Amino acid sequence: MQKVRYAVVGAGWISQIAFMPAVAQTGNSEITVIVSGNADAARKLADFHDVPHVVPYEDYDKILADDLVDAVYIALPNSMHADYAIRAARAGKHLLVEKPLAISVEECEAMIAAAEEAGVHLMTAYRLHHEPGTVELLEQIRKGAIGDPRIFSSVFSLQSVLGNHRLQSKHWGGPLQDIGVYCLNAARQVFGDEPVEVVAMEGGAEGDPRFTEVAEAVAVTLRFPEGRFAQFVASFGADANDSFQVVGTQGTLTMDPAFKFDDALKMRLRQNEKTVDEISAEQVDHFGAMTAYFSDCIMNGSPPENDGYEGLADVKAMIAIEKAAATGRAQKIDIAPRTARPGPDTVRHIPCTQRRLVL
């Protein structure tokens, strides 16, 4: 196998602006099928990206049965992830699924079971696990640059657009699931551990027509083992901001910007109340790096670090966060310990491209 052949399942904004332009940069991946409900738009995208096949959702199982793809990239609304992933796994296709992995623990477990039974890889699309700046920050923490990390704090906010499916409860939309998951996943990687308890609140301005089904914002406090704490706020109704800070016993690391894929991430290290290092990370194509890594896993037969269990861990935590916000009571979180974490071996240095078509 010289290149892994992907079907793009769901040709919406993230596929158009990020995934499809990135694949050609990888060298080990290609798109051979677009699965979409909008035939005209899909054909324009296919022509632009030299994709030979466009099929409607009704023909999804047919293209899975044919020898057209090795893997699927699923970028559908959250409520559709499990169905399309399980069908692909049963057809022997590898699975790259956007976060959150699914809308329930049961769906996540069913996806993991289907992939394991079929002997295919399931990877949750945590692109930052393959981005050099994020991994360098984790390496600095592991090397003791700030002593023992004790406190994680983060804000991720943007102004959402009325009508977006991420504002619909039927798709498990909301700021927690769409952007708060970045803060949650970052905290878990920073501490190299799993949260054990959470308190949370939801809120927002009254009368905003965007937020009739989901909250505008969520504020979360997570307790980790050894008395560590992580706090974050995710908002769909505030000025664009994405940053986090890790305070240790001997220093502080700040990443700003921290999560978006269209900026070079920037890290600052403070020790003894003075800035001692500022690093602008190499700007790579996040989606290209993620796809190149997954294709390497497929071709090498090695399991991905950010597998289905990694996606399941965040879903378990998010469900506990929602319950804590709804009840006003602290909720316990039970996540199995993870041994796999992002590191230098998960990074891929894929150049960015400006060649994209967004319809």
Side-chain angles (χ1 to χ4, degrees):
M1 182 188 297
Q2 293 183 330
K3 291 185 178 182
V4 174
R5 301 168 300 168
Y6 284 84
V8 173
V9 187
W13 181 80
I14 198 65
S15 292
Q16 293 177 25
I17 200 168
F19 183 79
M20 285 192 276
V23 171
Q25 301 294 101
T26 63
N28 65 358
S29 314
E30 62 182 344
I31 302 169
T32 53
V33 177
I34 295 175
V35 183
S36 173
N38 187 331
D40 291 339
R43 177 45 60 193
K44 291 177 183 177
L45 291 164
D47 290 343
F48 185 82
H49 292 288
D50 297 321
V51 178
H53 303 283
V54 172
V55 300
Y57 291 115
E58 304 88 81
D59 290 343
Y60 181 59
D61 293 309
K62 182 179 183 301
I63 66 104
L64 293 176
D66 294 337
D67 185 25
L68 298 177
V69 301
D70 307 300
V72 296
Y73 168 66
I74 296 176
L76 296 163
N78 301 334
S79 62
M80 302 170 72
H81 288 185
D83 176 34
Y84 280 79
I86 290 169
R87 287 156 67 185
R90 289 173 176 167
K93 310 304 179 184
H94 301 281
L95 315 168
L96 176 56
V97 184
E98 272 298 340
K99 50 75 194 160
L101 186 61
I103 64 172
S104 69
V105 169
E106 293 75 19
E107 283 194 352
C108 290
E109 291 175 338
M111 293 164 70
I112 292 168
E116 291 179 346
E117 183 177 345
V120 299
H121 294 320
L122 166 59
M123 189 170 107
T124 313
Y126 290 121
R127 53 183 168 78
L128 291 170
H129 289 215
H130 315 291
E131 187 277 323
T134 301
V135 172
E136 175 59 25
L137 179 138
L138 296 176
E139 289 294 289
Q140 289 288 331
I141 292 172
R142 292 161 184 163
K143 293 173 183 176
I146 59 171
D148 180 24
R150 305 300 304 165
I151 303 166
F152 172 95
S153 60
S154 180
V155 172
F156 196 176
S157 57
L158 53 83
Q159 288 288 354
S160 61
V161 178
L162 182 66
N164 191 288
H165 67 81
R166 293 171 181 83
L167 299 174
Q168 297 176 7
S169 59
K170 68 179 181 180
H171 293 310
W172 202 39
L176 172 64
Q177 295 80 356
D178 190 58
I179 56 179
V181 65
Y182 287 95
C183 311
L184 168 62
N185 194 267
R188 293 179 47 241
Q189 308 315 322
V190 159
F191 291 140
D193 213 337
E194 303 303 336
V196 295
E197 191 174 16
V198 63
V199 293
M201 297 177 68
E202 292 181 340
E206 295 183 5
D208 192 319
R210 294 174 295 176
F211 306 114
T212 58
E213 297 185 31
V214 303
E216 175 193 316
V218 59
V220 178
T221 298
L222 294 154
R223 182 167 64 85
F224 282 76
E226 301 182 35
R228 295 167 170 154
F229 287 96
Q231 292 184 312
F232 68 85
V233 176
S235 173
F236 271 169
D239 187 46
N241 189 308
D242 64 303
S243 60
F244 70 80
Q245 186 176 79
V246 188
V247 182
T249 54
Q250 299 174 26
T252 300
L253 277 164
T254 302
M255 190 74 90
D256 183 4
F259 302 125
K260 292 191 294 184
F261 59 83
D262 50 358
D263 292 318
L265 306 190
K266 296 181 180 180
M267 180 176 68
R268 183 174 73 252
L269 171 62
R270 285 176 56 84
Q271 296 171 331
N272 299 317
E273 301 182 16
K274 295 181 180 179
T275 298
V276 297
D277 200 5
E278 291 184 296
I279 300 172
S280 289
E282 171 194 0
Q283 187 158 10
V284 303
D285 191 307
H286 292 197
F287 282 77
M290 174 183 72
T291 306
Y293 170 79
F294 189 47
S295 292
D296 282 343
C297 291
I298 292 170
M299 290 190 286
N300 298 333
S302 54
E305 170 267 324
N306 37 327
D307 58 12
Y309 291 100
E310 177 69 7
L312 170 62
D314 280 336
V315 169
K316 281 188 172 183
M318 285 190 287
I319 289 171
I321 289 167
E322 284 193 323
K323 189 172 182 179
T327 63
R329 295 181 178 181
Q331 299 295 316
K332 299 293 185 182
I333 306 174
D334 182 16
I335 297 174
R338 301 253 324 141
T339 55
R341 298 286 177 184
D345 61 321
T346 67
V347 172
R348 295 294 183 273
H349 301 270
I350 304 300
C352 297
T353 180
Q354 296 304 315
R355 188 179 186 275
R356 50 177 50 86
L357 175 63
V358 180
L359 301 174

